[in-house]
Amino acid sequence: MIELQGLTKTYGGKDVVSDVSMTVDSGEFCVLIGPSGCGKSTTLKMINRLIPLSAGRVILNGEDVTTLPEEQLRRRMGYAIQSIGLFPHWTVAQNIAVVPRLLGWPKSRIDDRVEELMHLFHLDPDFRAKHPHQLSGGQAQRVGVARALAADPEVLLMDEPFGALDPITREALQAEMQRVHQETGKTVVFVTHDMDEALKLASRFAILNQGRLVQYDRPIELMFEPADDFVQDFLGKSDLGLKLLSRRWVHQYTADAPYAGVRASQGEIIETMRSYGHVWLVDDQGRPEGLFGARLGVAREAQQGLGRLTQVETDWTATPDMTMKEALSRMVWRRVTALPVVDDAGHLAGEVTMDGIMGRQP
Amino acid sequence: MTTPTVLVSGTDARRWMLLGALSLLLAALVLFMRDLEPLFRDAFPDLDTPVYVRETFLQLTLDHIVLVLVSSAISVSVGVAAAVFVTRRMGREFEPLVSALSAIGQTFPPAAVLAIVVPLAGFGFTPTIVALTLYGLLPVVQNTIAGLGTVPPAALEAARGTGMSRWQILFRVELPLAMRVIIAGVRVSVIINIGTATIGSTVGAKSLGTPIIAGLVGDNIAYVIQGAVVVGLLAIVTDLAFERLERRFTFGAQAGGGAGA
Ligand SMILES: Nc1ncnc2c1ncn2[C@@H]1O[C@H](COP(=O)(O)OP(=O)(O)OP(=O)(O)O)[C@@H](O)[C@H]1O
Ligand SMILES: [Mg+2]
């Protein structure tokens, strides 16, 4: 757990970071975000004391960091920077092993750890003996992040670690980062000015503006209760709703589906449709075959009339592990307001509906 | 898999061969100068002794090398230490002073240094070492400062961020990364001193300058040629060896760039 208390940095009489207080709980993925020059990097570097504080305190697991020897503190905190900063005269393996070596780990343990990390970040074992100038930008950034993680630090500080990458590599690394975070449960403080990246990764947002912390919240709270116009504007610049849905899963939105067997009587079907407005027809194995009722999009209703049977085709079913963004996209594409959710065997497991999306916090 | 070392390219191999060949030539000249007597006798029939024999060329060369080694060792240790000091936070304000002092060291003619030091330290080895050391200081100081300046700021920030101490940063990151440029400075310093060491002979330090001075004084052009050729070859061989050494401290991005001397 990291507590920032009244963190302030003054350069030449001007506060570039001003009275920032927040608590990052263990295992949290905290993203510091804000426009360029708002003090993100400065805040981050005050946490590991690369920049001395003008005022305030940083408490790491109950200890004031100024009471710890600088070097020891930094070895407990992995640090990755945008410019990567690999050591050009060392091999990939040596670069990754910096902190373990400083900590005096035995060689065999270091070797194992390097191998493990290279595997974790999908770096080919052949890269061990390469030098940084032989790596692509994406590979170098992987090595930079692996180096930060090497000694299994309690806390990971990352300053735009994926800054200089093309969108595809960037997304791959974000996914890796997400996976690593889930697997290791580390406390991460991550600086970015990219809202997409933040939404993908953050469990908490810290929005900075002109050196001040304007809001510190979970993504949802941020969206529904922006602290001020600045936050609103900052969020409004992106398709936040869709982005949030891209982090949600169909199984989180699945509701019980009204259904009837294909051999059910007409009365039964109409009865169900009366109460629910629609009914899924399932075959003998429980696979959805068609839909009766008003659950179709407006355009189709007009075309086909109420109560016509529409055949279920595979491109308008959803699976529990699909993102809600994709499910929504299928609804839009097929112009329907409901999708049957099917399990691995193709059985009807429930449904997701437009009302369900709207009626629930994303 | 591929190794990170520079592949031996065509020019690379040729340079190694050149270095080897010139080293052999130098060794042969130094060891067997006397056997060239018939050659010099033909070339300079008027001279009584066409080959310098008061000392062996092996002895003179070794004396010469000792002069250069001792003075360069002092120049390098003092120069690197001074440059490291003025690039630390506490020494930053001394940078102009140190740069100026080492520049004065080099612009001051070695002959003048000898003239000043001889009355204080006597004749022979010591004044020569003083003159050579002062003379060789500037390239070392300048290049060490320049070399430390070429260390990428990102690598420095990463070094601090990973929790290296100041000394660890200096010895594990800064000096290794600056090494190529530092060696370039040492190269210049040593080459200059190989040439300049000859003037030690004017104040009684034995060196390859001894036959040259003897030749100039005694009107024996053959002595001058013998001394000068060996000095010249020694300088060329040393220069090539340094060039090989510098290559080993080239890391990727630096390959083409970096400040020279
Ligand atoms: N050493 C310094 N001296 C004076 N001002 C500084 C110094 N370092 C940073 N600043 C100023 O502090 C402010 C915050 O800088 P910081 O690097 O924290 O911004 P940032 O939020 O990380 O921006 P970016 O997204 O561009 O990286 C900037 O206005 C910057 O000009
Ligand atoms: Mg920054």
Side-chain angles (χ1 to χ4, degrees):
Chain A
M1 188 170 83
I2 311 166
E3 289 166 71
L4 311 185
Q5 300 177 349
L7 214 62
T8 300
K9 182 70 202 179
T10 312
Y11 283 120
K14 189 174 162 282
D15 281 1
V16 297
V17 173
S18 171
D19 197 22
V20 168
S21 299
M22 60 193 232
T23 302
V24 184
D25 288 326
S26 297
E28 204 81 69
F29 200 117
C30 170
V31 170
L32 290 180
I33 190 167
S36 184
C38 69
K40 305 180 292 289
S41 300
T42 308
T43 304
L44 193 75
K45 288 182 202 172
M46 283 194 281
I47 297 176
N48 68 359
R49 293 177 60 196
L50 281 176
I51 295 179
L53 316 189
S54 301
R57 297 205 300 168
V58 176
I59 315 282
L60 173 67
N61 295 331
E63 284 175 288
D64 187 327
V65 296
T66 50
T67 63
L68 303 167
E70 250 176 22
E71 281 93 34
Q72 265 178 38
L73 172 74
R74 291 182 194 143
R75 290 171 199 176
R76 283 168 62 184
M77 296 183 155
Y79 181 54
I81 44 177
Q82 172 171 7
S83 40
I84 316 176
L86 295 183
F87 304 115
H89 56 310
W90 287 349
T91 63
V92 165
Q94 287 171 319
N95 265 286
I96 295 177
V98 186
V99 185
R101 259 163 55 202
L102 291 173
L103 293 171
W105 287 17
K107 192 177 173 310
S108 60
R109 186 172 165 208
I110 294 180
D111 286 348
D112 291 349
R113 181 63 179 152
V114 168
E115 197 168 317
E116 186 183 340
L117 283 163
M118 292 189 58
H119 183 73
L120 190 65
F121 284 98
H122 303 304
L123 285 161
D124 197 288
D126 288 348
F127 281 111
R128 271 188 92 103
K130 291 205 178 183
H131 279 73
H133 72 269
Q134 296 168 300
L135 306 179
S136 73
Q139 289 159 350
Q141 282 200 307
R142 276 165 224 247
V143 175
V145 177
R147 175 176 66 183
L149 276 166
D152 214 5
E154 298 154 49
V155 171
L156 209 50
L157 306 177
M158 309 179 86
D159 195 346
E160 306 199 31
F162 310 137
L165 294 178
D166 65 278
I168 293 172
T169 315
R170 197 179 165 108
E171 225 162 275
L173 277 181
Q174 286 164 352
E176 271 167 46
M177 195 58 229
Q178 211 167 12
R179 185 169 51 85
V180 169
H181 179 246
Q182 274 158 10
E183 280 170 21
T184 59
K186 294 222 175 301
T187 311
V188 182
V189 183
F190 187 103
V191 168
T192 183
H193 53 237
D194 174 355
M195 195 47 134
D196 287 0
E197 182 163 87
L199 280 165
K200 193 169 282 173
L201 296 169
S203 65
R204 278 201 181 253
F205 268 81
I207 300 196
L208 291 175
N209 186 27
Q210 299 181 341
R212 297 192 168 274
L213 182 65
V214 285
Q215 188 160 11
Y216 182 53
D217 255 327
R218 305 206 160 276
I220 298 152
E221 288 150 359
L222 200 73
M223 187 185 167
F224 289 101
E225 285 162 41
D228 59 14
D229 290 351
F230 169 78
V231 177
Q232 183 108 53
D233 283 355
F234 199 69
L235 295 174
K237 283 175 197 151
S238 61
D239 41 355
L240 188 67
L242 283 181
K243 300 251 171 59
L244 283 172
L245 284 181
S246 74
R247 304 177 72 229
R248 303 287 175 248
W249 307 102
V250 165
H251 65 79
Q252 297 173 305
Y253 283 78
T254 303
D256 287 341
Y259 70 96
V262 276
R263 273 182 261 283
S265 71
Q266 197 144 357
E268 223 177 300
I269 293 172
I270 289 172
E271 193 55 38
T272 316
M273 221 174 73
R274 283 239 171 80
S275 1
Y276 294 95
H278 68 288
V279 57
W280 299 100
L281 286 183
V282 297
D283 67 11
D284 294 340
Q285 274 82 47
R287 288 189 286 255
E289 273 208 335
L291 175 68
F292 260 124
R295 267 289 160 209
L296 299 172
V298 182
R300 289 197 167 205
E301 258 169 51
Q303 249 175 36
Q304 301 169 329
L306 202 68
R308 283 259 315 257
L309 175 73
T310 310
Q311 288 292 319
V312 169
E313 289 152 32
T314 46
D315 70 343
W316 70 287
T317 60
T319 54
D321 57 356
M322 193 179 270
T323 66
M324 276 311 290
K325 187 178 167 189
E326 192 174 347
L328 182 68
S329 166
R330 287 185 176 208
M331 288 187 202
V332 171
W333 183 245
R334 296 287 307 203
R335 292 186 290 161
V336 296
T337 58
L339 296 181
V341 178
V342 298
D343 60 19
D344 289 342
H347 301 152
L348 183 70
E351 64 178 7
V352 284
T353 63
M354 200 61 104
D355 290 349
I357 295 172
M358 296 307 162
R360 192 180 177 286
Q361 282 202 342
Chain B
M1 254 316 279
T2 51
T3 54
T5 47
V6 184
L7 291 175
V8 178
S9 64
T11 50
D12 223 44
R14 243 174 285 144
R15 289 193 178 230
W16 278 114
M17 268 157 50
L18 186 63
L19 177 58
L22 289 177
S23 307
L24 279 178
L25 181 61
L26 175 64
L29 264 184
V30 166
L31 292 173
F32 306 115
M33 188 67 89
R34 238 173 253 195
D35 298 321
L36 295 179
E37 191 174 343
L39 196 73
F40 283 106
R41 196 170 288 289
D42 282 350
F44 305 99
D46 309 341
L47 296 175
D48 296 338
T49 46
V51 174
Y52 185 82
V53 288
R54 232 169 293 157
E55 290 93 9
T56 63
F57 270 87
L58 179 62
Q59 188 57 50
L60 291 174
T61 307
L62 291 178
D63 287 342
H64 196 97
I65 290 174
V66 167
L67 278 177
V68 173
L69 276 184
V70 171
S71 61
S72 294
I74 302 173
S75 297
V76 169
S77 18
V78 172
V80 170
V84 166
F85 174 70
V86 301
T87 50
R88 302 304 99 180
R89 193 175 302 164
M90 59 176 185
R92 197 140 291 168
E93 50 197 301
F94 295 99
E95 211 233 86
L97 179 70
V98 167
S99 297
L101 280 181
S102 54
I104 291 171
Q106 203 185 25
T107 44
F108 223 74
V113 176
L114 288 181
I116 295 170
V117 179
V118 166
L120 301 173
F123 280 90
F125 191 73
T126 316
T128 311
I129 291 293
V130 172
L132 292 183
T133 302
L134 287 180
Y135 208 50
L137 214 46
L138 179 74
V140 176
V141 172
Q142 260 184 351
N143 275 47
T144 306
I145 292 176
L148 290 171
T150 63
V151 177
L156 283 182
E157 189 187 336
R160 292 215 303 140
T162 52
M164 290 192 201
S165 68
R166 280 172 201 199
W167 289 110
Q168 283 168 334
I169 295 175
L170 178 64
F171 285 108
R172 297 190 189 190
V173 178
E174 293 185 84
L175 286 177
L177 287 176
M179 197 49 82
R180 193 181 64 87
V181 181
I182 296 177
I183 289 175
V186 174
R187 176 179 175 181
V188 172
S189 164
V190 168
I191 298 303
I192 290 177
N193 277 353
I194 287 177
T196 315
T198 51
I199 68 150
S201 303
T202 58
V203 293
K206 286 271 178 275
S207 75
L208 287 169
T210 310
I212 298 177
I213 304 289
L216 290 175
V217 172
D219 228 359
N220 186 326
I221 192 80
Y223 288 2
V224 177
I225 291 173
Q226 288 149 19
V229 165
V230 176
V231 171
L233 255 183
L234 185 62
I236 291 170
V237 166
T238 310
D239 192 55
L240 280 173
F242 267 107
E243 191 261 350
R244 299 287 80 196
L245 188 64
E246 269 177 51
R247 298 222 115 215
R248 317 192 84 211
F249 290 93
T250 304
F251 311 106
Q254 300 180 318

